[in-house]
Amino acid sequence: MLAVKAPMGWNSWNTFGGNINEQLIMEMADAIVEKGYRAAGYEYVIIDDCWSLKERVDGRLVPDPALFPHGMKYVSDYIHSKGLKFGMYSCAGFMTCAGYPSSYGHEFEDAKQFAEWGVDYLKYDFCNFPSSGDAKNAYLTMAMALRNSGRDILFAACNWGVENPSGWMRSRGAHSYRSTGDIFDVPKSYKDIFRSQAENIENNAPGCYNDMDMLIVGMHGKGNVGLNGCSDTQYLQHFAMWAFMGSPLIIGSDLRNLDDENERTLLCKGLISINQDEECRPAFMVGHNGDKTYTMAKIMSGNRIALGFFNLDSANDWENNMSISFDDLGIHSESGIALKLTDAITGEALGIYKDGYRCNIKVDECKVLIGELIGDERRVL
């Protein structure tokens, strides 16, 4: 089965937009391997919009020879030689978002062409879709076309949350679905996406995931979606949110030039382990203070549970006291069960707690813990 776990990889759009070419994509594949991203689980190298000629040739999509002089099969073979997987972009409308030829009415021939090129992942956008069209049928049609292509291709549906895709994308064959509008490199953008999806992730499960859009970690205002940028602390909060919520982790920054702090964030083993846990259960809301602070939990494999504390209260520059009662995790005091807690970000062992846990979280910060359930024969704090 494809998408047994939430996909991880890199996409060209956030930083480069239409400024892409063959050499850039191959250099990014090199960086993913050399800098440890492949070993951490990032496996897809995805070319976004603007890769083709402006018109079809003999009914076929054609890579722009000025950008991809050796063709897409050459790029695909190079990416595969690195032990990675190759992703591409098309759109359900009659043109892509940037005005290039799209797959509306050409689904089956395009899917076969993608298969011939060795594509492993298709991002399928929703720009320029006819007002008389049927979005559900459009995504179903491409899903069936990919299944008929002769190759396993992960189907990443990107309709920005139109018509509540959480209610139907899984049944239409998508392996992930965009649930929101585009992300931009500014704190308000990732926070608004998180707020809108904090209670909309119950459908996350092996085979299909709620995609909260690509990561902006480390962009610092540079690139195609760059605005004012975020602080390193905010990037860590953003990544922790996406990891905890089970979203696909698709990097959008230039990995060739990423600073050490944000590289550590993207390679954080504890946060990735929560996102990629073998049970792939969705997180659930424990409590929130309006849209300021959020406490969440996620049941994990191996008799464990993850706890997430997120402070988004940018209107007030102070620490928020946050706590969680283990009763709200289904662990009553009378059970004698305690949690042996580890900080998922730092790896620090925090000790054994019974009944509950409390902490102070500064503005734009977070704390993510992994708790191991232990019986009452153990000493507790």
Side-chain angles (χ1 to χ4, degrees), residues 222-239:
K222 300 176 182 178
N224 188 49
V225 302
L227 292 177
N228 297 324
C230 303
S231 69
D232 291 342
T233 297
Q234 290 165 337
Y235 285 135
L236 175 59
Q237 184 187 64
H238 157 51
F239 184 75

Side-chain angles (χ1 to χ4, degrees), residues 7-276:
M8 298 175 63
W10 176 88
N11 179 290
S12 61
W13 184 255
N14 279 5
T15 294
F16 300 102
N19 297 315
I20 55 174
N21 57 57
E22 179 180 285
Q23 186 63 32
L24 168 69
I25 301 304
M26 293 192 297
E27 287 180 5
M28 212 59 64
D30 292 341
I32 289 171
V33 175
E34 294 166 5
K35 295 179 178 292
Y37 292 94
R38 182 184 66 182
Y42 297 94
E43 58 179 348
Y44 291 100
V45 182
I46 306 159
I47 299 172
D48 210 284
D49 204 351
C50 308
W51 58 267
S52 74
L53 292 176
K54 284 284 190 175
E55 300 289 340
R56 289 177 178 266
V57 177
D58 296 327
R60 292 170 64 89
L61 296 170
V62 177
D64 187 334
L67 304 177
F68 298 92
H70 296 94
M72 284 301 176
K73 186 64 166 63
Y74 176 85
V75 177
S76 174
D77 288 345
Y78 187 85
I79 289 171
H80 290 146
S81 76
K82 296 289 182 175
L84 299 168
K85 296 179 180 178
F86 179 43
M88 288 196 68
Y89 169 99
S90 190
C91 185
F94 63 89
M95 287 193 303
T96 70
C97 298
Y100 290 79
S102 198
S103 293
Y104 183 78
H106 297 272
E107 293 89 352
F108 282 82
E109 55 262 47
D110 287 357
K112 286 187 178 295
Q113 186 170 341
F114 295 145
E116 291 170 5
W117 287 340
V119 171
D120 303 295
Y121 177 115
L122 178 67
K123 176 182 174 181
Y124 203 51
D125 221 331
F126 197 58
C127 286
N128 300 304
F129 190 73
S131 58
S132 61
D134 183 334
K136 296 178 182 179
N137 186 260
Y139 281 92
L140 174 61
T141 300
M142 181 51 85
M144 297 304 290
L146 293 174
R147 281 160 171 73
N148 191 58
S149 70
R151 183 177 180 84
D152 288 336
I153 299 176
L154 190 149
F155 186 27
C158 179
N159 84 327
W160 332 312
V162 175
E163 296 188 33
N164 187 27
S166 64
W168 52 270
M169 273 296 191
R170 176 183 291 273
S171 69
R172 286 349 186 250
H175 298 105
S176 68
Y177 57 89
R178 272 280 299 282
S179 50
T180 70
D182 289 352
I183 195 169
F184 293 93
D185 186 17
V186 64
K188 184 179 186 302
S189 181
Y190 82 78
K191 291 180 181 182
D192 284 351
I193 290 174
F194 172 81
R195 289 178 177 121
S196 74
Q197 297 305 304
E199 297 186 80
N200 190 35
I201 52 178
E202 288 293 340
N203 285 333
N204 268 16
C208 189
Y209 299 89
N210 183 335
D211 181 358
M212 293 163 56
D213 205 2
M214 296 167 287
L215 297 163
I216 54 171
V217 174
M219 290 187 63
H220 287 303
K222 300 176 182 178
N224 188 49
V225 302
L227 292 177
N228 297 324
C230 303
S231 69
D232 291 342
T233 297
Q234 290 165 337
Y235 285 135
L236 175 59
Q237 184 187 64
H238 157 51
F239 184 75
M241 289 170 169
W242 265 233
F244 203 94
M245 297 270 276
S247 174
L249 300 178
I250 308 296
I251 299 169
S253 52
D254 185 348
L255 296 179
R256 302 170 302 176
N257 304 303
L258 194 65
D259 61 274
D260 291 344
E261 183 69 21
N262 286 287
E263 185 172 281
R264 281 192 292 271
T265 291
L266 290 172
L267 295 175
C268 178
K269 292 181 179 179
L271 293 177
I272 292 173
S273 74
I274 294 172
N275 182 266
Q276 296 287 294

Side-chain angles (χ1 to χ4, degrees), residues 350-362:
L350 301 179
I352 301 170
Y353 290 78
K354 187 177 181 181
D355 298 333
Y357 179 84
R358 59 184 295 171
C359 55
N360 291 320
I361 308 294
K362 295 180 180 179

